[in-house]
Amino acid sequence: MRTSIVFLAALLGAACAGAQPPATAGYHVVPGSFLPNRGPDGNSVFLDAPDGLILVDTGRHPEHRDRLLGYARARGRPIAAVINTHWHLDHSTGNAEIRAAYPRAELHASNAIEGALTGFLARSRAGVERQLAEGRIPEANLPEVRRGLAAMDNPGALRPTRPVTASGPVTIAGRRLRMNLAPFAATEGDVWLFDEAARLAIVGDLVVAEVPFMDTACPEGWRTALDAIAATPFETLIPGHGELMTRADFLAWRTAFNNFLDCGASERPRADCIAGWRRDAARFIGAGREAMIDGYAGYYLDSRLRATPEERTRYCR
Ligand SMILES: [Zn+2]
């Protein structure tokens, strides 16, 4: 049962990023798609660098990949480097084809993929194969399910050529960035970027506008990561899913996140915690999607924040 809920959670989705920055900002967002009954794509971001384009996250679906390759071709600039904020397949499935098209591009990511390959991904693979064998995956979802299995079969495309093992300034393709590693947060190692010149933070799934995806989360480590983001002087923040945020948006989201964790740790009724998330995060939840988001909040409350002590801390070490 749990596996099928996890799978469904991975298939369901939220809203797309909308507004684009001004052309002079030196970055371009390719919004993720996030539709019902379909696996999401995370937002992707292109950064203009002296030596080419830096691509942050590569999405899941072929359509998303095509938008990424199409943008690079239209710009007439090579993808000089790829950064994965984290290994979740809605952010990294496109790695193989992007890197095949641009074989000189280095892949910057944390080493958390190693634990994922033997842990979460191995378990979800077993669950998906069982569902396939039992004919329980809808026909329409078979292509993306097979694409996910193919990504797991090709772990070399997910492994960094330039592992991110600490936070600090870096120069990638000639562009200065601050690369940050948040240990034990949304995953075992989340990478997020701060571009001081653009006052821009790119934070992957440390911020998911409609509801934090806690499938592989260490909630308390995640709380700490949000504090580190808050301490950074960004003006614009690009979340892993959802629209660009101002600093005020982000601080409101962090409050919603912290309140949700606090409620989960309290004796308050389950329904209060779900209603609290919906109230605190209202500005980020798309119209008509409230019931679905309630379902997610309840699922993460049960499966993470109020799970057994072992499960609550499963991804904290
Ligand atoms: Zn994601």
Side-chain angles (χ1 to χ4, degrees):
M1 185 61 184
R2 181 171 185 278
T3 299
S4 75
I5 292 170
V6 169
F7 177 67
L8 278 175
L11 282 181
L12 296 171
C16 302
Q20 284 291 339
T24 52
Y27 65 95
H28 174 83
V29 180
V30 175
S33 71
F34 222 167
L35 304 165
N37 301 317
R38 187 170 186 268
D41 293 284
N43 291 330
S44 290
V45 187
F46 282 103
L47 297 172
D48 269 286
D51 303 335
L53 299 169
I54 301 168
L55 171 59
V56 184
D57 287 345
T58 61
R60 179 198 303 270
H61 292 100
E63 308 88 275
H64 191 90
R65 170 207 62 204
D66 289 347
R67 283 200 290 276
L68 301 177
L69 291 172
Y71 178 79
R73 285 194 197 109
R75 289 290 310 279
R77 305 201 69 204
I79 295 175
V82 177
I83 300 172
N84 284 149
T85 57
H86 62 299
W87 56 262
H88 285 178
L89 295 180
D90 53 326
H91 299 257
S92 63
T93 300
N95 280 14
E97 292 143 320
I98 300 284
R99 294 176 68 198
Y102 295 96
R104 292 167 64 172
E106 300 276 10
L107 175 62
H108 302 255
S110 82
N111 284 318
I113 182 61
E114 299 304 333
L117 286 167
T118 55
F120 183 86
L121 285 172
R123 285 193 296 279
S124 52
R125 173 180 206 122
V128 164
E129 284 177 342
R130 199 161 50 241
Q131 292 180 66
L132 276 172
E134 293 167 2
R136 288 196 286 126
I137 295 186
E139 186 80 25
N141 295 123
L142 287 176
E144 75 169 26
V145 165
R146 296 207 173 101
R147 190 166 164 79
L149 293 174
M152 292 181 221
D153 284 340
N154 183 17
L158 303 175
R159 288 190 168 111
T161 60
R162 295 290 181 94
V164 179
T165 57
S167 298
V170 292
T171 301
I172 298 177
R175 183 159 170 164
R176 291 278 291 173
L177 297 167
R178 183 176 167 84
M179 188 97 87
N180 300 280
L181 178 65
F184 303 108
T187 68
E188 187 184 320
D190 292 291
V191 171
W192 62 278
L193 304 168
F194 175 59
D195 183 320
E196 188 170 12
R199 297 264 162 181
L200 175 71
I202 303 171
V203 302
D205 281 7
L206 293 171
V207 176
V208 176
E210 289 189 299
V211 65
F213 294 157
M214 295 188 172
D215 302 84
T216 60
C218 176
E220 290 305 321
W222 192 334
R223 193 197 291 262
T224 302
L226 294 178
D227 292 343
I229 294 171
T232 304
F234 69 89
E235 291 171 3
T236 302
L237 179 144
I238 303 175
H241 301 265
E243 297 189 10
L244 273 59
M245 293 186 180
T246 63
R247 170 168 286 275
D249 291 331
F250 166 75
L251 293 175
W253 194 88
R254 181 178 66 153
T255 297
F257 180 93
N258 288 342
N259 288 348
F260 189 54
L261 261 54
D262 292 344
C263 193
S266 76
E267 302 285 312
R268 291 168 57 194
R270 181 179 188 274
D272 282 11
C273 299
I274 297 170
W277 173 262
R278 173 104 78 79
R279 179 196 62 233
D280 295 341
R283 70 165 95 173
F284 306 111
I285 298 172
R289 297 166 65 88
E290 296 85 354
M292 188 187 84
I293 296 305
D294 284 359
Y296 269 95
Y299 170 67
Y300 290 124
L301 201 59
D302 299 340
S303 66
R304 185 66 54 215
L305 300 181
R306 290 187 172 176
T308 61
E310 193 204 330
E311 189 59 34
R312 278 204 299 274
T313 56
R314 180 195 280 274
Y315 297 104
C316 295
R317 54 186 178 261

